[in-house]
Amino acid sequence: MAALGPPLDEPALNGTRNRKKIAYFYDSDVGNYAYVAGHPMKPHRIRMAHSLIMNYGLYKDMEIYRAKPASRYEMTQFHTDEYVDFLQKVTPDNMDTFIKEQSKYNVGDDCPVFDGLFEFCGISAGGSMEGAARLNRGKCDVAVNWAGGLHHAKKSEASGFCYINDIVLGIIELLRYKQRVLYIDIDVHHGDGVEEAFYTTDRVMTVSFHKYGEYFPGTGELRDIGVGNGKHYAVNFPLRDGIDDRSYKNIFEPVIKAVMEWYRPEAVVLQCGGDSLSGDRLGCFNLSMKGHANCVQFVKSFNLPVLVLGGGGYTMRNVARTWAYETGQLVGQDMGSQLPYNDYYEYFAPDYELDVKPSNMDNANSPEYLEKIKQQVVENLRRTAFAPSVQMQDVPRHDLTGEDDIDDQEGALDDLDEDENKDQRMTQRQWDRQRQADGELYDEDDDDRAAEQYAGVRRQRNGRRPNMMDYQNPNAAPDYVPDSGVASGVGTPDPATSQNGDAVASSNGLNVLAAAASPSTSTLENIPPIPAADALAVPLEARGAAITSPSVLSQRGSPVPPPSAATTGPLPGDDDDGDVTMSDGLAESTAEAINTPSATTTLPAEPVDTGVAKNTPPASPPAPVITAVSSPPAAVVEDVDVEMADADPAPTDSGIIDTTVPTKTEDPIIGATDEPRQMVEAASKAPEDVDAEMQEEGIKEKEALDEPGEKIAEQIMTAEGSRGDVPAEDGAKGGEEGGSGGGETVG
């Protein structure tokens, strides 16, 4: 077996001698189309890639064109008239009248009907066809159309998210001037539509590197080599899951080199499907961004006219990164790893880098398997005729549509542009065709003017775009989601992310609990662990109960001592195996832990307007005088909706009884407080006196109202309830239940 080479080739930057002329095709409307909700194919990725290309300044070294959408007549150079007519007529509104045609043309799940379907196909095909026409005329060395590359579409059938095969249309245009055209496909899926179109001819050689075996579209076996005149001119390299950069390079470069030496193509069409990247939504390969771009760089090194197209790719941020980087490789510019600020900057969180890293997935392609396939592919190439020739004729000046030559069309557009923009020194069309030459100095004002005219170019800041979340106070209390007891993570990226920026679930499920605790290092020591296997199965209510357990509440600024060892064991509700039970058992065990003598807590204290403690216990002997102890205010925490069992007050280290939790005793217990004495006296009043005072205040308020009504009566009841007006017969019940409304004290 041949020795393994380096994993990647060094990128070759353009110099003054080998500088290539790049034609870049982009239509700003392409990102406005969307298949259907939830569909993995998102044309918005093309707009994201274009934004990166512009903000990296690559437009200075390219000519930018907005191609004319392909017409119905141009599409029928490959597709049938009936199929194109159907695509032109069907819409989401009238699709019910085309049920039979949808089944006939395979339009449905993978290829849905959406608004602007025919226009989207026209944009994709128009860029590929015009790029091929410019290559034919020698107007450029490389043509780029990231909206193209839809290689699954058949002659009269949609397939694999593809409706119109722009690749076949572009190759047909190239064959008007070129004897032989080479098509290379590095999409993870087999390029079945292109291979089928040229399966019987030797004027086009198709080479596809793809996943094979129980995978869409199910074609592309090694023995599929073509028929008739096209026998051995269809090359398929079936691969398995997880191929990495080094393995891909060691098969791609030898095969393409053998094809170039034996077939001698006059032009190359390269389909750069991004679903072969690591971490793709529908892919199974493990290529990095640079490993994918290495194929583009190698094809460029042969100095042939190249039509570079897009294709698959369903993780938008990775596809945009890769296509922008490959554009830089074609232009020959070194691109920094830090992404420039652009319209879609937030899509590339959290690293904001121009990179797609491989994962640690297994490579099922053994070196022996790859070497065996490579030898068979090279052997098939030797059975073909060396550089097959074809009789060529002069190409008419007018194409099949009867339109003028491309030079005449360009001249007419230039004249029209000058007539419409007489007062502008440099028009938009002239800026698009402007290329920055090496060694020349440009006025900064001109560059600024160009940047302003390009809608996607943004003024760059020094370094990465500063965000408000970059400057967080580590000592600040965390935010909480109301009524959940869980720390809020809104707007805060999870540090546990994969190499490609995808969020990864926490291994123990305690990342939310850690955010809810205080910043001290000893805060999480007493948080009961959750088994990793069951962390995601614990209900949100159970996690909220765990947060409000005594072991956590006692450390949030409360003046009570730390909990005993009884409350720091396994999570309440765990059995002997460590499995987490349902939330009912969790709530019961939490209630028992709260009512233990050593696990006291401070319940939330709401602002008291009347100076009267809520839900005062029933009549009882006068309360003992408690010496006020100066202590920091208790932290406001979530309510614990559990039953309070009988428990005696727990003495603290200082000998003072901490009575912050009401019990079922007959004596009302008033916690230590620094409030005025009248607050203590008011709290020790009998419930009957409190009820009488409340009733008098309620009568006065009712008489003060001008308009009686049901709405006003509800407001009165609400006002009375906010003052803690609890009937005497319900006082004992409120003290027993210890709910969120009946267990609060002044503290």
Side-chain angles (χ1 to χ4, degrees), residues 409-656:
Q409 296 178 19
E410 289 295 323
L413 292 175
D414 290 339
D415 295 340
L416 180 62
D417 183 64
E418 293 178 359
D419 294 339
E420 294 179 349
N421 303 279
K422 295 180 179 180
D423 298 333
Q424 295 187 15
R425 182 168 62 91
M426 290 287 288
T427 64
Q428 181 70 48
R429 179 177 175 82
Q430 292 171 335
W431 277 117
D432 290 340
R433 302 176 65 179
Q434 183 73 26
R435 295 175 65 225
Q436 179 174 308
D438 293 333
E440 294 187 10
L441 299 178
Y442 284 80
D443 189 0
E444 293 295 333
D445 293 338
D446 291 343
D447 292 339
D448 294 341
R449 178 182 175 86
E452 292 175 359
Q453 291 191 6
Y454 286 112
V457 178
R458 295 289 178 262
R459 295 183 180 273
Q460 302 302 314
R461 301 171 174 85
N462 294 329
R464 186 174 71 85
R465 177 190 178 189
N467 294 323
M468 186 176 295
M469 296 300 295
D470 293 339
Y471 309 97
Q472 300 188 38
N473 183 4
N475 299 321
D479 296 331
Y480 293 92
V481 177
D483 302 329
S484 67
V486 181
S488 173
V490 177
T492 305
D494 188 356
T497 55
S498 68
Q499 291 176 327
N500 293 333
D502 299 327
V504 179
S506 176
S507 60
N508 57 4
L510 291 180
N511 53 343
V512 177
L513 300 181
S518 62
S520 62
T521 57
S522 62
T523 301
L524 297 179
E525 294 178 357
N526 295 326
I527 294 181
I530 298 177
D534 299 331
L536 299 179
V538 179
L540 183 60
E541 295 80 0
R543 299 187 186 185
I547 292 177
T548 56
S549 63
S551 60
V552 179
L553 297 179
S554 61
Q555 300 184 40
R556 297 185 182 174
S558 176
V560 299
S564 63
T567 62
T568 60
L571 181 68
D574 292 357
D575 54 20
D576 296 336
D577 298 332
D579 299 329
V580 179
T581 59
M582 298 305 291
S583 59
D584 293 337
L586 180 64
E588 294 175 1
S589 55
T590 305
E592 295 176 0
I594 291 178
N595 289 285
T596 56
S598 60
T600 57
T601 183
T602 302
L603 296 177
E606 299 179 357
V608 180
D609 297 334
T610 61
V612 179
K614 294 183 180 180
N615 196 19
T616 308
S620 59
V625 178
I626 306 299
T627 304
V629 179
S630 177
S631 61
V636 178
V637 298
E638 299 293 335
D639 295 343
V640 183
D641 193 9
V642 295
E643 289 188 358
M644 297 298 181
D646 293 335
D648 294 331
T652 62
D653 296 339
S654 59
I656 300 175

Side-chain angles (χ1 to χ4, degrees), residues 160-180:
F161 313 157
C162 307
Y163 304 86
I164 295 295
N165 200 317
D166 64 287
I167 304 175
V168 174
L169 295 176
I171 293 177
I172 291 175
E173 180 65 27
L174 288 173
L175 291 176
R176 297 179 62 209
Y177 286 79
K178 311 297 182 184
Q179 296 186 57
R180 295 172 300 279

Side-chain angles (χ1 to χ4, degrees), residues 121-137:
C121 296
I123 292 175
S124 174
S128 299
M129 295 185 68
E130 188 164 341
R134 288 193 170 275
L135 290 173
N136 283 338
R137 298 293 185 179

Side-chain angles (χ1 to χ4, degrees), residues 684-695:
S684 61
K685 290 182 179 181
E688 293 80 3
D689 298 337
V690 176
D691 294 341
E693 293 178 3
M694 292 301 178
Q695 292 176 2

Side-chain angles (χ1 to χ4, degrees), residues 647-729:
D648 294 331
T652 62
D653 296 339
S654 59
I656 300 175
I657 297 176
D658 189 336
T659 56
T660 56
V661 179
T663 62
K664 292 170 58 176
T665 60
E666 294 297 329
D667 296 335
I669 306 301
I670 307 295
T673 178
D674 291 332
E675 297 292 333
R677 179 171 294 276
Q678 57 267 24
M679 296 288 291
V680 180
E681 294 177 354
S684 61
K685 290 182 179 181
E688 293 80 3
D689 298 337
V690 176
D691 294 341
E693 293 178 3
M694 292 301 178
Q695 292 176 2
E696 292 178 1
E697 293 182 3
I699 293 173
K700 292 180 180 180
E701 291 183 0
K702 291 179 181 179
E703 293 177 353
L705 297 175
D706 296 334
E707 297 179 4
E710 182 178 356
K711 181 177 180 181
I712 300 177
E714 294 177 357
Q715 294 177 355
I716 294 172
M717 296 178 65
T718 303
E720 291 177 353
S722 64
R723 294 183 176 85
D725 189 7
V726 181
E729 59 271 19

